[in-house]
Amino acid sequence: MTSSSHPVPMKISVTREANFWWASQSENFRDVFPDGTLWAPLRGSIGQRNAFWDTLLDVRPGDIVLHYVRPAIRGISRAATLPVLAYPPARGYKEPADTEGRLVLTDPVREVHIPWDDIRDILPPGKRPLTIKGTPMRGYFFDVSREGALQLLQKAGLEITDGPCEGPPEAASADQHLGGPSDKWTLGAIRTEQRFLRNQQLLLRGSSCSICGHSFPEQLLVAAHIKPRKDCSEKERMDTRNVSMLACLFGCDALFELGYIVVDESGLIQACKPASKQVSARIEGLAGRKCRAHDERSRGYFAWHRQAHSGKVDQAGANTPDLRWHPRSP
């Protein structure tokens, strides 16, 4: 008997503390699942609150999400962050870009196909997410019983373990973690947030470094915070489109983060502090260039960066940036 006759099932780690969620989605699944976003507005178009939006408040890192697109469960993901206030992500949501909402970032585990007949046989009618008639409840985000969810995971061909989640080791500052102090999920949250921010900037501005202007493969670009998250207000943390930019790994990210270069009020890159001969040569090649991420919506963040690294009072950064945003093509 060959190994191909009995393929090894993919393992999924589920802790005893994990909760399980059902996300009802439309064709936006094609965008939001790979992007790793779960977002809902705080209020509807007439100011109403909806319980199936507010359930996002209860999501915790490590929880498992079943993504339902009628008539089947199409994907399994794991929550990577706590819910935070956020405007709609760049892809997959129809609400105006300045709509206040809540965002949870997820790590996609696997695309699956669990047909409706299997769902109906496993989940009891009258308990979320099914009505007393055994049909899906109208709404967006519901809790699912642990017993039922585990059976559905097995139907998807997943082997359930209680071991640690697998993933490439990466070192990053814990202050990037969306939603709280460092814990065992922090590295996963940092990776997920970086993917979200980078994808957002790639959609908005294309695959070019905002500092040197050169085009690079996506893996050589990072989403650099103009103003560090730890120094942002809650309102500014929502403004992910404008508080970050793409910077390349060929020096631009480090030069900006360490304050060797700043962006002036007109959007031009300037040297900020003394540097060695080799570093100065790199800075000279950048000085006077227009920063691609500088505009009226981001200028206040750049002003904060100038002030933080020059120690000078900068009136341009005295006010919170205008957080209104209107989509534009890359």
Side-chain angles (χ1 to χ4, degrees):
M1 186 174 293
T2 65
S3 58
S4 60
S5 299
H6 294 281
V8 177
M10 179 179 178
K11 294 183 179 181
I12 180 172
S13 173
V14 179
T15 66
R16 285 174 292 182
E17 298 81 15
N19 294 312
F20 299 86
W21 305 96
W22 170 289
S24 291
Q25 296 175 317
S26 61
E27 286 307 304
N28 73 340
F29 171 82
R30 292 178 296 183
D31 291 325
V32 303
F33 183 75
D35 284 355
T37 65
L38 291 169
W39 181 88
L42 298 182
R43 296 184 180 276
S45 58
I46 59 174
Q48 81 280 12
R49 296 183 63 173
N50 285 318
F52 52 75
W53 293 339
D54 290 343
T55 44
L56 276 179
L57 276 171
D58 297 322
V59 177
R60 295 294 178 267
D63 287 357
I64 303 298
V65 182
L66 310 175
H67 298 260
Y68 175 77
V69 184
R70 193 175 62 176
I73 292 174
R74 296 268 302 278
I76 308 294
S77 70
R78 185 192 312 279
T81 69
L82 293 169
V84 293
L85 293 174
Y87 295 132
R91 296 202 307 170
Y93 300 90
K94 62 183 180 180
E95 287 78 6
D98 59 354
T99 304
E100 295 188 353
R102 292 189 185 93
L103 173 70
V104 172
L105 298 182
T106 65
D107 276 323
V109 174
R110 188 178 189 179
E111 288 197 39
V112 298
H113 184 85
I114 308 175
W116 174 247
D117 287 345
D118 289 343
I119 298 171
R120 185 178 52 195
D121 289 344
I122 291 172
L123 297 182
K127 292 187 178 181
R128 290 183 296 268
L130 303 188
T131 67
I132 193 66
K133 295 181 179 180
T135 58
M137 289 182 172
R138 296 186 63 182
Y140 174 46
F141 202 71
F142 304 95
D143 59 300
V144 184
S145 71
R146 184 181 186 88
E147 179 183 3
L150 291 176
Q151 290 184 56
L152 289 169
L153 293 180
Q154 292 172 336
K155 279 287 184 181
L158 298 173
E159 180 181 331
I160 300 165
T161 73
D162 58 2
C165 299
E166 296 181 359
E170 294 183 21
S173 171
D175 64 34
Q176 290 179 315
H177 180 204
L178 279 172
S182 175
D183 55 30
K184 67 179 180 179
W185 299 105
T186 295
L187 286 180
I190 292 169
R191 288 193 294 268
T192 305
E193 182 188 12
Q194 177 61 217
R195 182 183 70 238
F196 167 70
L197 292 174
R198 186 176 66 175
N199 286 347
Q200 193 174 58
Q201 291 299 316
L202 286 167
L203 285 167
L204 297 176
R205 298 189 172 99
S207 57
S208 296
C209 174
S210 296
I211 300 296
C212 67
H214 294 155
S215 180
F216 292 104
E218 294 178 12
Q219 61 267 34
L220 297 178
L221 295 166
V222 297
H225 275 84
I226 302 168
K227 181 176 180 179
R229 288 194 76 259
K230 63 183 178 62
D231 296 308
C232 288
S233 66
E234 284 300 312
K235 194 76 170 177
E236 290 169 337
R237 289 184 183 190
M238 291 176 63
D239 192 27
T240 54
R241 299 176 181 88
N242 302 309
V243 76
S244 64
M245 65 177 176
L246 288 176
C248 72
L249 294 174
F250 292 95
C252 291
D253 177 43
L255 290 173
F256 184 83
E257 182 179 354
L258 297 174
Y260 283 104
I261 56 175
V262 295
V263 176
D264 69 19
E265 191 170 358
S266 62
L268 300 180
I269 298 165
Q270 304 290 347
C272 183
K273 64 181 184 182
S276 67
K277 182 178 180 180
Q278 293 85 351
V279 175
S280 294
R282 173 66 172 165
I283 293 173
E284 288 176 7
L286 298 172
R289 289 187 57 88
K290 175 75 174 180
C291 176
R292 299 180 75 247
H294 184 276
D295 56 27
E296 284 303 308
R297 297 175 290 272
S298 62
R299 64 188 293 271
Y301 299 123
F302 284 108
W304 184 96
H305 179 265
R306 286 198 304 276
Q307 182 175 347
H309 289 284
S310 68
K312 298 177 182 178
V313 176
D314 191 335
Q315 292 301 320
N319 298 318
T320 299
D322 182 358
L323 299 187
R324 291 172 296 178
W325 178 84
H326 303 284
R328 58 173 181 237
S329 299

